[in-house]
């Protein structure tokens, strides 16, 4: 059994949530219930699903929640591409988030593979 507080991937995804929260504060008010809300849900879903999977009884269940977490990471990546295209964030902010997400995606993948579940 894994404790999520000990996992680097969980810690990094929590940091990402904080960065995302800071960035979306600058989005237009009309995006509050659209893109901003969706971005916040996706970013929160990454560490939340890692934690939930760790709380399950088997590695098979953990893998399932890691897959959901990975899906949320790719969803968030897409949403930040849109934010860049809508000029809600700068290119530098986009690169920062993209690099952080890439690191987290690799860590989720490696964790998943280390569990030896097909």
């Amino acid at each position: 059994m894994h404790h999520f507080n000990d996992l680097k991937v969980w810690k990094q995804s929590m940091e990402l949530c904080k960065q995302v929260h800071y960035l979306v504060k600058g989005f237009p008010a009309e995006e509050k219930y659209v893109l901003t809300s969706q971005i916040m849900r996706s970013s929160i879903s990454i560490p939340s699903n890692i934690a939930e999977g760790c709380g399950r009884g088997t590695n098979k269940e953990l893998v399932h929640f890691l897959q959901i977490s990975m899906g949320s990471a790719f969803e968030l990546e897409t949403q930040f591409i849109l934010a860049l295209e809508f000029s809600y964030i700068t290119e530098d902010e986009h690169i920062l988030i993209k690099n952080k997400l890439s690191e987290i995606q690799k860590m989720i993948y490696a964790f998943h593979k280390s569990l030896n579940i097909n």
Side-chain angles (χ1 to χ4, degrees):
M1 183 147 175
H2 302 274
H3 198 279
F4 66 89
N5 280 327
D6 297 329
L7 297 174
K8 184 177 178 184
V9 65
W10 180 82
K11 292 174 186 176
Q12 291 293 322
S13 58
M14 289 293 287
E15 285 301 315
L16 175 68
C17 283
K18 294 175 197 174
Q19 291 173 336
V20 165
H21 183 73
Y22 173 78
L23 283 175
V24 299
K25 284 183 177 184
F27 283 20
E30 64 266 15
E31 289 291 354
K32 183 177 182 180
Y33 299 108
V34 187
L35 189 58
T36 300
S37 177
Q38 190 65 36
I39 285 173
M40 288 304 300
R41 281 195 302 275
S42 296
S43 69
I44 292 167
S45 178
I46 299 168
S48 296
N49 279 291
I50 293 168
E52 184 169 356
C54 288
R56 297 297 175 129
T58 67
N59 281 352
K60 184 177 179 181
E61 289 175 298
L62 174 54
V63 164
H64 172 73
F65 284 94
L66 290 175
Q67 290 169 333
I68 294 170
S69 184
M70 181 69 88
S72 295
F74 281 103
E75 184 179 359
L76 183 60
E77 185 176 348
T78 299
Q79 293 156 355
F80 268 96
I81 291 169
L82 285 171
L84 177 64
E85 290 180 4
F86 295 154
S87 299
Y88 296 159
I89 59 172
T90 66
E91 182 70 33
D92 287 343
E93 290 168 330
H94 180 255
I95 290 169
L96 176 76
I97 294 297
K98 183 179 176 182
N99 290 343
K100 188 73 164 173
L101 271 168
S102 178
E103 179 184 347
I104 289 168
Q105 290 162 346
K106 289 174 187 174
M107 290 168 57
I108 293 170
Y109 180 78
F111 186 27
H112 173 270
K113 288 299 174 192
S114 76
L115 297 170
N116 294 321
I117 302 289
N118 292 329

